[in-house]
Amino acid sequence: MRNLPRVRTFRYRIALLSLLVSGVALLAFAIPAWILIGRLDLQRIDNEVRLRVLPHLAWHPDNRHWGELEDQLRYAYGPSDETAVFLLVKNRAGRTVYRSKTWPESLDPGSFPAPGDRASSLSIQEPPPPLRSRGEFRREGGRSRREALLPPTRIRQPEAFSWNEGIRPWRVAITGNEYVTVIIGVSLAGHRSAMLMTTMALLLALPLAALLAAGGGWLLSGRALRPVRELTEAAETITVQGLDRRISAGDADAEFARLISVFNAMLERLESSFQQATRFSADAAHELKTPLMVLQAELEQALQDAKDGSREQQVYGNLLEEVQRLKSIIRKLLLLSLADAGRLELSLEPLNLSAALETVREDTEALAPDLGVSIQSEPDIWVAADAELLGQVLHNLAANAIKYNRPGGTIRYQLQRRGTLARLTVANTGPGIPPEDVGKVFQRFYRASKARDRSVDGVGLGLSLAREIARAHGGDLTLARGGPDTTTFVLTLPLSDPP
């Protein structure tokens, strides 16, 4: 159970809640209903027994008719079972005047009260109307004989209870009049069978009803959450280039219409802020270009006029390097602002990436002669690319591999085809990227702590710009999982046909 996945969807929880609530409600209904059905069935048996025994208590003066009563009860409750009914009749003196042959041996006749013993607890009800009046003739065997009828007797209200003979259940009723006490036992096998069928029906119906309720909860929650799902799908399609999109409220309900309105308002604020930031970066980069060009020209002229080896020449040289660095930063910021605004214009043309990588390898060997540079490249891998921007990407990757390498380390280039993509990996030895910095290497102006000092050139824009350019070409730039002393970047670009 501990290893089972935990489903945390609102729809799943609604369905589960529907299942639990409906299950509890059905049980709360079914259990009292089952008890009530059982009691009503026992009450029905008690009433039937009472109706059958009342005439025998009302009119007959002798004890010959008790056998007829037993036959009637057996016919009603066990026509094929001789042991379905038992009957015991005691007279006023407590002597048994009739006893069924099927009387259970485990049931002591003396355990039942004699006539009058329970007089205080057995109420006397009015007897039924006499079946016939005094002097009426009764026909038996084709002959008529006059029958002496007793005056109406007082009949005790039957008292019924359940009794088990081993595993066999019985319903026992005790009734009588001033002359006799009648004990009637009726087998509850039919009652138990009916209750068993009722139980089985409930056991089958309750889970089915609970599952139907859960299914209904699942469907209703899905229908109720449809506006949220549509809102989510619409939000997922909104990118930096699609911040001007808005979601239509349509015929959504009031609650979801308000949610959509709030979401659209948020998009509007986000678009406004993003445009301001992008415009600021582009404007700042553009406005700084001219002063820097003027400053560069002045410094170059001053450097030429300075005496060789003088302090002025050294100062002008250092300032010129800083100006070049500022120009590089401004150019990167301008490209990033264009990429953010979706206005990075590409001049795509077929480019032999294998040849371009070979040039990068030669530049790397020239810039870092102490490093071991190796290349493994498939020939004639062509991509559709802007040569200048893709050259910027390759240069940034090579510069990154050089800057963050260790003395005497290695750089390994590998270029190969992978389906419809060209896959270039650039791996360098070095201290590696700490796990806590893996998700930050493509953030702008982010530099790992070990690279924040000025001994390692860079401002933390190269990798971010390289990834934006790669994505503008339909590819991507990612950081591959490497060892503790290796850093590997993977550049993928769509393949193209050679010219």
Side-chain angles (χ1 to χ4, degrees), residues 364-375:
T364 304
E365 290 177 339
L367 293 172
D370 61 320
L371 300 178
V373 180
S374 63
I375 184 170

Side-chain angles (χ1 to χ4, degrees), residues 62-389:
D62 54 35
N63 297 315
R64 292 175 299 175
H65 59 99
W66 298 117
E68 299 177 4
L69 174 60
E70 183 178 3
D71 293 339
Q72 294 173 4
L73 294 172
R74 182 169 292 110
Y75 178 78
Y77 298 103
S80 60
D81 186 1
E82 294 293 331
T83 62
V85 173
F86 62 78
L87 176 64
L88 177 70
V89 181
K90 293 182 180 180
N91 61 15
R92 190 174 183 81
R95 186 173 61 84
T96 300
V97 296
Y98 185 85
R99 175 175 172 174
S100 299
K101 297 179 180 178
T102 57
W103 181 268
E105 296 296 334
S106 59
L107 184 59
D108 181 13
S111 62
F112 295 98
D117 291 351
R118 300 173 63 93
S120 59
S121 60
L122 296 179
S123 61
I124 301 299
Q125 68 176 25
E126 293 298 327
L131 295 179
R132 56 189 66 87
S133 62
R134 182 178 297 277
E136 185 176 353
F137 285 87
R138 180 184 181 191
R139 298 188 64 84
E140 289 183 353
R143 295 181 300 174
S144 299
R145 67 181 178 88
R146 184 179 298 275
E147 193 173 63
L149 297 180
L150 292 175
T153 58
R154 294 194 305 164
I155 301 175
R156 293 185 175 88
Q157 180 69 25
E159 181 180 353
F161 58 90
S162 299
W163 172 71
N164 291 320
E165 181 195 12
I167 60 173
R168 188 166 189 179
W170 294 89
R171 188 66 176 174
V172 179
I174 304 175
T175 184
N177 55 23
E178 298 91 332
Y179 305 98
V180 294
T181 296
V182 180
I183 304 171
I184 302 171
V186 176
S187 174
L188 289 181
H191 167 77
R192 289 287 179 90
S193 178
M195 292 305 299
L196 180 61
M197 293 181 63
T198 303
T199 304
M200 294 298 294
L202 289 176
L203 290 178
L204 291 176
L206 290 181
L208 181 61
L211 289 177
L212 288 176
W218 178 267
L219 293 177
L220 289 177
S221 60
R223 183 177 179 81
L225 292 175
R226 186 172 58 185
V228 176
R229 186 168 55 254
E230 293 175 354
L231 180 64
T232 304
E233 293 174 353
E236 288 176 345
T237 61
I238 296 176
T239 61
V240 173
Q241 289 75 26
L243 285 177
D244 57 340
R245 287 194 57 187
R246 298 295 180 267
I247 300 174
S248 174
D251 56 350
D253 297 330
E255 295 84 354
F256 293 109
R258 175 171 172 76
L259 175 62
I260 293 173
S261 175
V262 172
F263 185 79
N264 285 335
M266 183 194 67
L267 280 180
E268 188 171 351
R269 294 193 299 271
L270 182 62
E271 181 188 12
S272 177
S273 300
F274 185 79
Q275 287 180 349
Q276 289 180 4
T278 303
R279 189 164 51 249
F280 173 79
S281 299
D283 292 346
H286 180 74
E287 294 299 328
L288 288 174
K289 285 175 62 179
T290 302
L292 284 176
M293 290 180 63
V294 174
L295 182 59
Q296 179 181 1
E298 293 292 340
L299 287 173
E300 288 175 349
Q301 183 61 45
L303 186 62
Q304 290 179 359
D305 296 340
K307 294 181 180 180
D308 292 339
S310 63
R311 175 174 173 76
E312 288 79 5
Q313 186 183 40
Q314 183 179 359
V315 171
Y316 295 152
N318 292 337
L319 291 176
L320 191 58
E321 290 180 359
E322 293 298 323
V323 169
Q324 294 290 351
R325 187 166 179 267
L326 282 174
K327 287 181 63 179
S328 175
I329 295 173
I330 289 172
R331 182 175 182 277
K332 290 176 180 177
L333 285 175
L334 182 60
L335 291 174
L336 285 171
S337 64
L338 293 174
D340 291 341
R343 293 187 285 119
L344 186 62
E345 297 181 357
L346 302 178
S347 178
L348 297 179
E349 58 184 11
L351 186 145
N352 191 332
L353 187 58
S354 301
L357 184 61
E358 183 62 30
T359 302
V360 171
R361 182 189 67 83
E362 294 174 356
D363 293 343
T364 304
E365 290 177 339
L367 293 172
D370 61 320
L371 300 178
V373 180
S374 63
I375 184 170
Q376 183 180 357
S377 173
E378 295 183 20
D380 296 329
I381 293 181
W382 291 81
V383 295
D386 184 302
E388 182 180 355
L389 293 179

Side-chain angles (χ1 to χ4, degrees), residues 402-423:
I402 294 173
K403 286 188 292 186
Y404 300 109
N405 214 317
R406 59 178 168 79
T410 61
I411 298 176
R412 185 176 68 256
Y413 297 102
Q414 185 178 23
L415 178 61
Q416 56 189 167
R417 294 180 178 86
R418 287 288 181 87
T420 60
L421 297 175
R423 186 174 188 273

Side-chain angles (χ1 to χ4, degrees), residues 479-496:
L479 174 64
R481 180 178 300 177
D485 57 350
T486 303
T487 303
T488 303
F489 287 93
V490 179
L491 172 67
T492 54
L493 293 170
L495 290 170
S496 72

